[in-house]
Amino acid sequence: MTRVKIILTYFKVPGLGKSSNKRSYSTRPIVTAVLVDGGFYRRRAFSLFGDKSPDDRAQELVTYCRRHITESRSSLYRIFYYDCPPSEKVIFHPLSRKQVNLGKSDQFQWTNQFFAALTKKRKVALRRGEELETQRGYTLKSKPLKQLCNGAISVSDLTEDDFLLEITQKGVDMRIGLDIASLAERGTVNQIVMITGESDFVPAAKHARREGIDFVLDPLWATVTRA
């Protein structure tokens, strides 16, 4: 059975004197904002729901977010999606020993098409951070690294798919925190659903709760990592 949280507010009824102990109640409808950590969602959705086209992934995201609205019987204020533009840098690949132009990669094209699909969705706001930056370039994934160390495979057995491009997004966490604070201060919503697998936003969530907002964390069945 779905549990619905109702916020009760008191107001004075005309005609009743100060000495009256009678009170009248009004129910404030639940208005929900859904905030999505885009980098986390794309990785987690790929793991859970498989590879999809940009349009299908965008529709999947909206449908998933609206499940929260249906379950809480609330009205949707907006879906805020936070992500960074894909990098156009040229990176050296240690296995092929070639320069890889990220701006011409399939991932670059897919990400831009995904962003374009999101902007066409009703009540979806795209919040962009700064361009993704590489910190250490390509690194060997943990599984082939263990196999290599154990002698199960040799360097000649490695493929380009065994390497991961380590990238860092900038400006996303700050924008999420600012939006949470703004929504709380303005009283625009009384429920915030945050889709992320990180605990970076705990201070902002505590602030929202102090303002009377019901804050829900949805890690998409993943273990929440500490900041």
Side-chain angles (χ1 to χ4, degrees):
M1 179 181 295
T2 303
R3 298 180 61 187
V4 181
K5 184 173 182 179
I6 301 295
I7 300 176
L8 298 179
T9 58
Y10 296 106
F11 63 90
K12 294 182 179 180
V13 178
L16 290 181
K18 294 183 179 180
S19 60
S20 175
N21 293 323
K22 294 183 180 180
R23 293 182 182 271
S24 179
Y25 299 90
S26 69
T27 57
R28 181 185 176 189
I30 301 176
V31 181
T32 304
V34 183
L35 282 58
V36 184
D37 179 354
F40 167 78
Y41 182 85
R42 286 188 289 110
R43 292 190 302 271
R44 190 63 181 158
F46 182 86
S47 176
L48 292 172
F49 312 127
D51 191 14
K52 292 187 178 182
S53 68
D55 287 338
D56 288 345
R57 182 67 78 204
Q59 183 57 50
E60 168 204 279
L61 169 65
V62 173
T63 300
Y64 183 84
C65 291
R66 285 189 174 277
R67 286 180 57 188
H68 282 283
I69 306 304
T70 301
E71 291 176 0
S72 63
R73 299 180 185 177
S74 62
S75 60
L76 175 64
Y77 173 68
R78 196 159 295 158
I79 298 172
F80 296 92
Y81 181 87
Y82 304 83
D83 214 332
C84 293
S87 177
E88 299 183 65
K89 295 182 180 296
V90 177
I91 305 296
F92 178 77
H93 198 291
L95 184 64
S96 64
R97 305 189 67 80
K98 295 180 180 179
Q99 298 290 340
V100 179
N101 188 339
L102 300 179
K104 294 182 178 181
S105 66
D106 292 339
Q107 184 62 38
F108 180 87
Q109 299 296 331
W110 187 97
T111 303
N112 282 330
Q113 291 172 13
F114 173 65
F115 289 167
L118 281 179
T119 58
K120 298 176 183 177
K121 299 296 182 184
R122 186 171 179 270
K123 289 196 172 184
V124 175
L126 179 61
R127 294 281 202 264
R128 294 176 184 265
E130 300 176 22
E131 180 180 315
L132 293 172
E133 294 187 359
T134 58
Q135 295 296 312
R136 296 175 2 193
Y138 285 97
T139 59
L140 194 58
K141 295 179 181 178
S142 59
K143 183 177 179 179
L145 177 60
K146 291 178 181 178
Q147 293 176 327
L148 192 63
C149 293
N150 294 333
I153 62 173
S154 62
V155 175
S156 60
D157 296 320
L158 295 175
T159 66
E160 292 187 15
D161 291 336
D162 291 324
F163 290 82
L164 178 69
L165 180 61
E166 291 204 353
I167 54 180
T168 302
Q169 58 183 19
K170 288 186 176 181
V172 168
D173 292 358
M174 178 186 68
R175 283 170 174 78
I176 292 176
L178 289 174
D179 279 348
I180 292 175
S182 176
L183 290 169
E185 291 295 331
R186 288 185 291 145
T188 309
V189 302
N190 45 32
Q191 183 182 70
I192 294 177
V193 176
M194 179 79 223
I195 299 178
T196 185
E198 300 178 359
S199 59
D200 306 60
F201 314 107
V202 169
K206 288 182 177 179
H207 171 72
R209 283 173 175 151
R210 284 195 296 267
E211 294 296 323
I213 291 178
D214 179 26
F215 196 96
V216 180
L217 178 65
D218 179 1
L220 282 169
W221 304 282
T223 301
V224 178
T225 60
R226 293 186 178 181

